[in-house]
């Protein structure tokens, strides 16, 4: 299972598991695959209706890594911006049902958000960067490492777009989605990127300071300049994509302890 931070939502995710060799061809032919998907989803709905749905499955060869062989991951962060100060102050006194519907699914913000300035930060983030300043890398983690980890990450896509209400249509908030695509991310990277985007849009963080963070990749920088980290509740993992050829011919080859289980009558599927 591809892990996310606590509180982050996963609309789509991938997991790998072993299955008995008697059903090793569960994804072939198509009719057999469709039958397994139907049976599994029926069992899930019976146990906890609407909690999860299995969308697809593939047999994978030994050496496949669910984390390293990914093509890209897409995350979306939801922002809910209150439309005026009168509403913002009144909601503090008497929150509406809309506030509760968005509480765990968006970062609710006061009026004054500038989409133009937020888009400038999105443009700055695109491309390869050393994301050391955006990495939650504690002193304890550093002591445990035998060698420093690479924090070079390439942001393939970073864009602000109009969003919509999560469940209750309303005239209280304007909604924005920040979509970020990359092959991989360091710990808390996206939430720190969103913090920079939001605080710059309110003129509370100069874009020169964000550029400085990218040019000076030290994990303590974020705390040293006291930038609050965006809450996890607005972040959604929306897509995990794999190149099809990696399922059967993984490169590079990653050795896992469960590869030995194939000799004991089990096989891997994703």
């Amino acid at each position: 299972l591809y892990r996310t931070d606590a509180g982050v939502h996963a609309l789509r995710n991938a997991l790998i598991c072993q299955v008995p060799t008697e059903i090793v061809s569960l994804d072939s032919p198509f009719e057999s695959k469709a039958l397994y998907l139907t049976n599994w989803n029926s069992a899930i709905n019976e146990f906890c209706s609407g909690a999860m749905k299995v969308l697809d499955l593939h047999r994978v060869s030994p050496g496949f890594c669910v984390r390293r062989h990914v093509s890209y991951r897409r995350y979306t962060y939801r922002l809910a911006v209150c439309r005026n100060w009168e509403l913002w102050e009144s909601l503090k006194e008497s929150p509406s049902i809309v506030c509760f519907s968005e509480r765990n699914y968006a970062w609710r913000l006061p009026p004054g958000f500038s989409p133009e300035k937020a888009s400038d930060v999105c443009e700055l983030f695109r491309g390869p960067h050393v994301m050391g300043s955006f990495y939650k890398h504690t002193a304890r983690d550093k002591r445990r490492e035998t060698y420093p980890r690479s924090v070079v990450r390439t942001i393939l896509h970073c864009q602000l777009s109009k969003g919509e209400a999560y469940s209750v249509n309303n005239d209280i908030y304007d909604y924005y989605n920040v979509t970020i695509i990359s092959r991989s991310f360091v710990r808390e990277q996206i939430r720190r990127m969103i913090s920079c985007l939001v605080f710059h849009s309110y003129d509370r963080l100069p874009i020169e300071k964000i550029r400085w963070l990218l040019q000076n990749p030290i994990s303590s920088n974020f705390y040293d300049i006291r930038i609050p980290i965006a809450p996890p509740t607005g972040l959604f993992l929306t897509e995990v994509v794999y190149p099809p050829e990696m399922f059967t011919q993984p490169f590079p080859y990653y050795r896992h302890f469960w590869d030995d289980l194939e000799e004991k009558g089990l096989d891997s599927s994703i």
Side-chain angles (χ1 to χ4, degrees):
L1 182 68
Y2 179 70
R3 298 186 304 167
T4 60
D5 293 340
V8 175
H9 310 280
L11 298 185
R12 292 197 178 191
N13 210 337
L15 61 87
I16 189 168
C17 62
Q18 285 77 45
V19 297
T21 52
E22 303 87 75
I23 58 170
V24 69
S25 298
L26 74 173
D27 61 341
S28 178
F30 178 79
E31 292 75 14
S32 174
K33 178 178 180 177
L35 179 62
Y36 279 113
L37 288 173
T38 300
N39 291 341
W40 288 348
N41 286 320
S42 297
I44 292 170
N45 284 329
E46 184 177 348
F47 177 75
C48 188
S49 180
M52 185 178 74
K53 184 177 182 180
V54 182
L55 300 176
D56 202 357
L57 58 92
H58 298 275
R59 180 184 179 183
V60 297
S61 299
F64 175 84
C65 179
V66 70
R67 184 169 61 89
R68 296 184 179 94
H69 284 129
V70 68
S71 178
Y72 66 83
R73 299 175 176 92
R74 182 197 305 269
Y75 279 89
T76 300
Y77 198 101
R78 297 184 66 249
L79 303 173
V81 181
C82 194
R83 292 187 173 179
N84 60 66
W85 283 106
E86 184 179 351
L87 267 175
W88 180 257
E89 295 299 331
S90 66
L91 291 172
K92 290 182 180 179
E93 300 296 329
S94 54
S96 74
I97 191 173
V98 175
C99 299
F100 291 102
S101 70
E102 296 289 356
R103 178 183 177 185
N104 296 320
Y105 303 100
W107 188 2
R108 291 174 294 155
L109 299 169
F113 179 84
S114 170
E116 294 78 14
K117 293 180 179 179
S119 295
D120 291 340
V121 178
C122 288
E123 184 176 354
L124 178 63
F125 280 137
R126 295 186 195 119
H129 299 286
V130 182
M131 304 301 294
S133 294
F134 297 81
Y135 180 23
K136 183 181 180 180
H137 198 202
T138 64
R140 182 178 65 176
D141 292 336
K142 292 177 183 177
R143 288 194 298 268
R144 290 179 175 178
E145 292 176 352
T146 55
Y147 55 88
R149 295 184 178 182
S150 172
V151 291
V152 177
R153 298 293 186 270
T154 300
I155 306 301
L156 303 173
H157 179 83
C158 184
Q159 184 174 357
L160 180 77
S161 59
K162 291 290 288 184
E164 59 184 12
Y166 185 77
S167 59
V168 180
N169 292 326
N170 62 88
D171 55 2
I172 297 176
Y173 296 109
D174 289 320
Y175 294 94
Y176 299 92
N177 292 338
V178 182
T179 302
I180 302 175
I181 300 175
S182 179
R183 187 172 178 271
S184 62
F185 301 90
V186 297
R187 187 180 179 189
E188 287 192 358
Q189 174 186 333
I190 296 178
R191 291 167 58 194
R192 297 184 185 212
M193 291 170 62
I194 295 297
S195 292
C196 291
L197 180 150
V198 167
F199 284 102
H200 177 67
S201 74
Y202 285 97
D203 288 327
R204 294 178 57 186
L205 183 68
I207 198 165
E208 291 77 16
K209 183 64 72 174
I210 303 173
R211 189 175 287 110
W212 180 86
L213 288 169
L214 291 170
Q215 295 171 350
N216 296 270
I218 301 173
S219 57
S220 59
N221 283 341
F222 218 82
Y223 290 101
D224 290 343
I225 58 180
R226 301 183 183 279
I227 305 175
I229 299 174
T233 50
L235 184 57
F236 293 75
L237 173 60
T238 52
E239 197 170 17
V240 183
V241 177
Y242 295 90
E245 63 272 14
M246 289 297 179
F247 294 141
T248 55
Q249 297 177 324
F251 182 83
Y253 186 102
Y254 292 98
R255 185 70 179 175
H256 302 290
F257 75 90
W258 55 73
D259 291 338
D260 298 328
L261 296 176
E262 188 172 2
E263 301 174 2
K264 301 178 182 179
L266 296 175
D267 199 83
S268 299
S269 292
I270 184 172

